[in-house]
Amino acid sequence: DKGNHRHFMLKEIYEQPVVVAQTLRSYVRRIDDQVSLPIPDFDLSAIRRVTIVACGTSFYAGMVAKYWFEQFARMPVDLDVASEFRYRAPVMEPEGGLALFISQSGETADTLAALRHARAEGQKIAVVVNVPTSSMAREADLLLPSHAGPEIGVASTKAFTCQLAVLAALVANVARAKGRLTPEEEKDIVRHLSEAPSAINQALAQDEAVQALAPLIVPARDVLYLGRGTDYPLALEGALKLKEISYIHAEGYAAGEMKHGPIALIDEAVPVIVIAPSGPLFEKTVSNMQEVQARGGKVVLISDEDGIAAAGEGCLATLALPKVHPLIAPMVYAVPVQLLAYHVAVIKGTDVDQPRNLAKSVTVE
Ligand code: F6R
C-alpha cells in the first residue's frame, strides 16, 4: 500500500524518520545513555580487524562504516564488493577477525557466497540485514537487524539509512569495547543518534526545493557527484540512485580525484552535485567545487547554512540541511540525493519502483 504517495520509493523515503527511530531502539538505551547490541554477550573487545563486504547501496553503507571504524574505533578495515571479494585471495587472520556483511534482502548471491568464504577462513560473522528470516540472518554469529520494514521500491532508500543507523551503533559499541569511548562521549553519541530522526525530518523538508531543482537536471546527459570523507560514499550512492531510476549517466567521485581526469568532462551541460557539510573537510571540497565552476560547470551545493553562506554564491542551487554529528550526517545527507533521483525520474516518466533490467533481490551471480 502506497498510502498517499504516488510510488513506493517516495513512501519509503518519507518513512525514514520512523524506521530509523525504530531501528535505533534496538541499539541505544536512553535510560542509561548507552549504546548496546541485540546480542549483549558477543565479545567485541577481541576484534582486531574488520572485513566489510556487500553489494550496491549496501556496499556504500559499508564504505561509510569503514571511515567511522577508523575514526571512532581506530580499527583497521578492509572493504570490498562481494563479487570481487569472493574471487580475490583476501588475507584474513582468524585471530580477532570479524567479517561484516551488509544486505537488505539477506539473499544476495555474491554476498552470501562471500560470507561462507569468510567463515571458512575462520572469521566471526556479523550481518546487518533487513529481512530477519533470510539466509544471511541464519548464518550470522552476530545478527544485527535493521528494522526498516519491507522495502518494495527496487531502489534502496530506507534500508540504506537504517543500515547506517545500525553501523553507527556498532562502531560506537566497538569503540567502547576497545576503551576508545569515555562515558561522556558515549552519552554524547547516544544523544546525537537519538536526534537523527528529527534531523532526517528536517532534510525531508527540502523536498520542495529538490523538486524545483529536478527539471534543471532532467536534460543532462551526464551528472557528477562529488564528496570527501563519508560524503564520498554518499556521492557514489547519489550517482547510483540517479542512474538506476532515471537512466541518466552519473558518476560519483572523491572530490580530490576531479583533477585526475573527470574534470575534462565539465562544461555547462554537466551538472555537478557537491555534498559538503561545513567542517574540517569543507574548504578542500569547496576548492574542488570552484575548479568546476571556473570551467563553466553548474553546481548544486548540498550543505548546511554555514556552508551555504560561505560558498553558495554562484551555484545553480543550494540545499540546506541541519548541522549534525558525523555519525548521523550520512543518514541526513542521503535524503536529498534520494529525492533528487526520484523527482528527476518522475519527470522523465520512468518506472520508478521497477526500473528496467533490475531485480529487487539479486540471487544469481
Ligand atoms: C540500489 C540497490 C542495489 C542493492 C544491491 C544489494 O538501489 O538497491 O544496489 O543495494 O543489489 O542488495 P542487498 O542489500 O539486498 O544485498
Side-chain angles (χ1 to χ4, degrees):
D1 179 19
K2 290 179 243 184
N4 298 326
H5 296 291
R6 199 167 144 198
H7 296 100
F8 280 109
M9 183 178 176
L10 191 62
K11 171 176 178 261
E12 290 165 357
I13 289 172
Y14 270 86
E15 276 172 2
Q16 290 178 114
V18 170
V19 292
V20 165
Q22 190 168 293
T23 298
L24 284 169
R25 273 200 284 280
S26 303
Y27 296 90
V28 298
R29 289 198 307 255
R30 280 325 298 271
I31 342 164
D32 52 3
D33 282 327
Q34 291 194 7
V35 291
S36 61
L37 292 182
I39 302 173
D41 51 3
F42 190 90
D43 184 14
L44 296 173
S45 67
I47 302 171
R48 300 236 178 88
R49 177 165 215 103
V50 181
T51 301
I52 304 178
V53 182
C55 301
T57 290
S58 297
F59 172 73
Y60 299 141
M63 202 167 161
V64 171
K66 174 185 165 78
Y67 285 72
W68 282 342
F69 269 117
E70 291 170 347
Q71 187 183 343
F72 294 100
R74 302 298 299 141
M75 180 70 69
V77 177
D78 290 313
L79 169 78
D80 210 346
V81 289
S83 56
E84 285 301 312
F85 177 84
R86 60 183 292 202
Y87 296 118
R88 287 196 289 122
V91 180
M92 288 171 280
E93 297 293 336
E95 197 64 35
L98 180 77
L100 171 61
F101 301 87
I102 306 165
S103 177
Q104 189 286 126
S105 62
E107 301 296 346
T108 301
D110 280 322
T111 310
L112 187 57
L115 182 160
R116 290 173 179 160
H117 178 58
R119 158 125 22 238
E121 295 284 310
Q123 303 296 290
K124 284 263 181 299
I125 307 297
V127 167
V128 177
V129 74
N130 195 46
V131 179
T133 52
S134 61
S135 306
M136 282 181 227
R138 284 196 303 272
E139 297 192 24
D141 301 316
L142 177 61
L143 174 60
L144 303 169
S146 53
H147 301 290
E151 191 178 62
I152 309 295
V154 163
S156 187
T157 54
K158 64 174 181 169
F160 177 65
T161 42
C162 288
Q163 287 166 345
L164 291 172
V166 174
L167 292 164
L170 175 63
V171 167
N173 274 280
V174 172
R176 184 181 61 194
K178 289 276 163 193
R180 299 226 165 246
L181 219 54
T182 65
E184 275 312 303
E185 287 167 329
E186 181 171 359
K187 195 172 170 179
D188 198 47
I189 285 176
V190 170
R191 189 172 55 78
H192 284 294
L193 285 174
S194 310
E195 285 164 3
S198 78
I200 295 171
N201 249 321
Q202 280 174 265
L204 286 167
Q206 290 296 312
D207 194 6
E208 270 180 37
V210 177
Q211 213 171 332
L213 157 70
L216 306 177
I217 306 299
V218 169
R221 210 185 59 178
D222 310 284
V223 178
L224 286 182
Y225 288 73
L226 301 182
R228 228 175 239 274
T230 55
D231 299 307
Y232 170 36
L234 281 177
L236 295 168
E237 169 62 1
L240 177 62
K241 284 288 97 94
L242 189 71
K243 56 190 147 190
E244 78 176 317
I245 63 169
S246 79
Y247 316 146
I248 294 175
H249 171 242
E251 296 294 338
Y253 265 95
E257 274 290 294
M258 272 300 281
K259 55 167 81 68
H260 299 288
I263 200 160
L265 292 172
I266 301 298
D267 62 23
E268 304 74 37
V270 182
V272 181
I273 318 293
V274 177
I275 306 171
S278 60
L281 304 177
F282 181 74
E283 289 299 325
K284 294 279 175 200
T285 305
V286 165
S287 83
N288 304 129
M289 179 181 111
Q290 285 159 348
E291 288 157 11
V292 167
Q293 287 170 317
R295 285 154 187 86
K298 296 219 171 57
V299 170
V300 175
L301 175 61
I302 308 179
S303 185
D304 45 49
E305 271 172 15
D306 288 350
I308 288 167
E313 200 140 322
C315 290
L316 177 68
T318 58
L319 296 169
L321 300 182
K323 223 178 189 170
V324 289
H325 188 275
L327 274 174
I328 70 165
M331 295 178 234
V332 176
Y333 278 73
V335 172
V337 297
Q338 295 167 346
L339 286 170
L340 183 61
Y342 175 77
H343 290 299
V344 170
V346 167
I347 297 170
K348 291 200 74 176
T350 60
D351 188 347
V352 172
D353 284 333
Q354 292 279 321
R356 67 187 182 199
N357 310 341
L358 289 171
K360 182 66 187 159
S361 184
V362 184
T363 53
V364 291
E365 271 195 59

